[in-house]
Amino acid sequence: MTEAQTSPLTAELIDEAVADLHSIHDWLRFAVSQFNAADLYFGHGTDNPWDEAGLLMAFTLHMTHIADPVLLTTRLTRSEKRQFAALLQQRIEQRIPAAYLTHHAYFADLPFYVDERVLVPRSPIGELIKQQFSRWFPQNPPSRILDLCTGSGCIAIACAHYLPEAEVDAIDISEDALTVADINIDQHGLYQRVFPILSDGYDAIPGQTYDLIVTNPPYVDAEDMADLPDEFRHEPELGLASGEDGLELTLRILAGAAAHLNDDGVLICEVGNSMVALSERFPQVPFDWIEFEHGGHGVFALTKAQLKQYQAFFQE
């Protein structure tokens, strides 16, 4: 336990806050102060304590958001104060990200159910999905898509939402993850176009080909896994760790991608901070590292032709 974690939000402090604080703004300010004192990590849907507190407040009040400034001056009931304080306690003492406390996260402006069986959606690939991958498919959007390592199903579902003619196979090795993906597919009414498949990589789809393979696989290397903030310990390790250099699964994806792409097909893959290790390992491969307007890094694209050209390197 760190020093910050030994200073929980005490019952006495909560009683004082319930007596003295009245408006939503009062309680958000209080939450931010407590979060800062506890030295929390933010990176599971928010990047700052105000937005994190806002998610918990919106959940407490059964609202989708509380961005309207008029709402900030409204007063809370005593029971609402207690409910919000209980969430603050869990967030601080157990280091549970807000998305897991609320079972709610947004990806590509779409809502998703999440729990600790899946990672919290946060991939910059969402920006490409909203653009219908137009950089690689300027004429005809991809109509057959494979989402490898689908987790909550957020990428597969967002692809189907923004590409209404597309069918998407959503693969994961985790039965637990696919259970969550099923919940989200059902909530978005996409059972006719998003198909969850239990598989270790490409094993369950021999002979199947796609216009686009999009994947956010595990890519955290051993050193970074050892140093992750406590908030990440609530996420499934299966969705994060990928060997000593973070490339174990990425190499399998690269080696097999060409066989599962149509002639003009494209692989888009996120490797995060492991982009350095990947570039150093294959300096001869022209990875197309994508720049994002709204932040994010470590996502590359390769065409089927490029994957075939360098396939021998990936299979070594």
Side-chain angles (χ1 to χ4, degrees):
M1 297 284 282
T2 65
E3 183 177 346
Q5 288 172 288
T6 62
S7 303
L9 189 56
T10 64
E12 292 77 12
L13 185 56
I14 291 173
D15 288 342
E16 179 184 9
V18 169
D20 295 344
L21 304 178
H22 304 293
S23 70
I24 289 177
H25 195 278
D26 290 340
W27 278 88
L28 290 178
R29 194 282 309 158
F30 175 76
V32 169
S33 296
Q34 297 304 311
F35 287 174
N36 286 337
D39 194 27
L40 301 185
Y41 175 85
F42 306 102
H44 295 84
T46 69
D47 60 7
N48 63 84
W50 180 269
D51 288 344
E52 188 89 348
L55 291 179
L56 297 177
M57 180 62 76
F59 178 73
T60 300
L61 302 180
H62 303 284
M63 296 180 174
T64 55
H65 59 80
I66 51 170
D68 187 342
V70 174
L71 285 174
L72 297 180
T73 62
T74 59
R75 295 164 64 95
L76 299 173
T77 66
R78 187 176 292 107
S79 62
E80 288 170 341
K81 295 175 185 180
R82 293 286 182 187
Q83 291 169 25
F84 183 63
L87 289 172
L88 298 186
Q89 275 191 306
Q90 285 185 281
R91 182 65 184 89
I92 291 170
E93 296 177 13
Q94 299 179 48
R95 292 309 206 251
I96 302 174
Y100 287 149
L101 293 172
T102 64
H103 298 304
H104 192 79
Y106 276 87
F107 176 74
D109 298 330
L110 300 173
F112 292 91
Y113 171 86
V114 294
D115 60 31
E116 294 184 20
R117 291 174 290 183
V118 297
L119 301 187
V120 177
R122 52 186 178 269
S123 172
I125 289 173
E127 184 176 315
L128 307 180
I129 297 172
K130 292 169 68 176
Q131 297 167 353
Q132 298 184 313
F133 302 99
S134 57
R135 175 178 162 188
W136 299 275
F137 300 90
Q139 301 298 325
N140 299 307
S143 60
R144 184 157 166 75
I145 299 171
L146 172 63
D147 173 21
L148 272 176
C149 309
T150 195
S152 65
C154 62
I155 286 178
I157 289 166
C159 283
H161 176 85
Y162 288 100
L163 297 160
E165 302 301 318
E167 292 188 351
V168 188
D169 286 345
I171 281 180
D172 207 284
I173 194 174
S174 166
E175 290 188 49
D176 283 343
L178 289 178
T179 299
V180 176
D182 266 329
I183 293 171
N184 286 312
I185 293 167
D186 182 53
Q187 288 183 352
H188 286 271
L190 288 169
Y191 265 120
Q192 302 300 314
R193 294 198 293 119
V194 179
F195 307 102
I197 299 171
L198 182 66
S199 179
D200 182 0
Y202 305 108
D203 288 357
I205 53 167
Q208 296 294 310
T209 59
Y210 303 86
D211 302 316
L212 172 68
I213 298 174
V214 57
T215 178
N216 179 17
Y219 56 70
V220 182
D221 63 36
E223 182 178 353
D224 283 349
M225 281 297 298
D227 294 335
L228 286 175
D230 288 343
E231 280 80 357
F232 286 96
R233 305 300 173 190
H234 294 278
E235 295 192 295
E237 184 175 344
L238 185 64
L240 293 169
S242 191
E244 190 66 27
D245 60 0
L247 299 177
E248 186 175 297
L249 185 52
T250 299
L251 294 179
R252 288 183 55 201
I253 291 170
L254 285 166
H260 293 281
L261 284 170
N262 295 325
D263 287 344
D264 295 324
V266 177
L267 167 70
I268 292 178
C269 177
E270 179 173 349
V271 292
N273 291 337
S274 293
M275 65 184 295
V276 175
L278 186 63
S279 296
E280 290 178 349
R281 184 160 182 167
F282 302 111
Q284 65 278 68
V285 177
F287 293 104
D288 178 5
W289 295 106
I290 300 165
E291 295 186 6
F292 293 94
E293 182 180 348
H294 301 293
H297 70 283
V299 179
F300 69 82
L302 287 173
T303 64
K304 176 175 181 174
Q306 291 170 324
L307 288 160
K308 289 181 66 176
Q309 181 179 352
Y310 297 99
Q311 191 166 29
F313 293 101
F314 302 140
Q315 293 176 334
E316 286 180 356

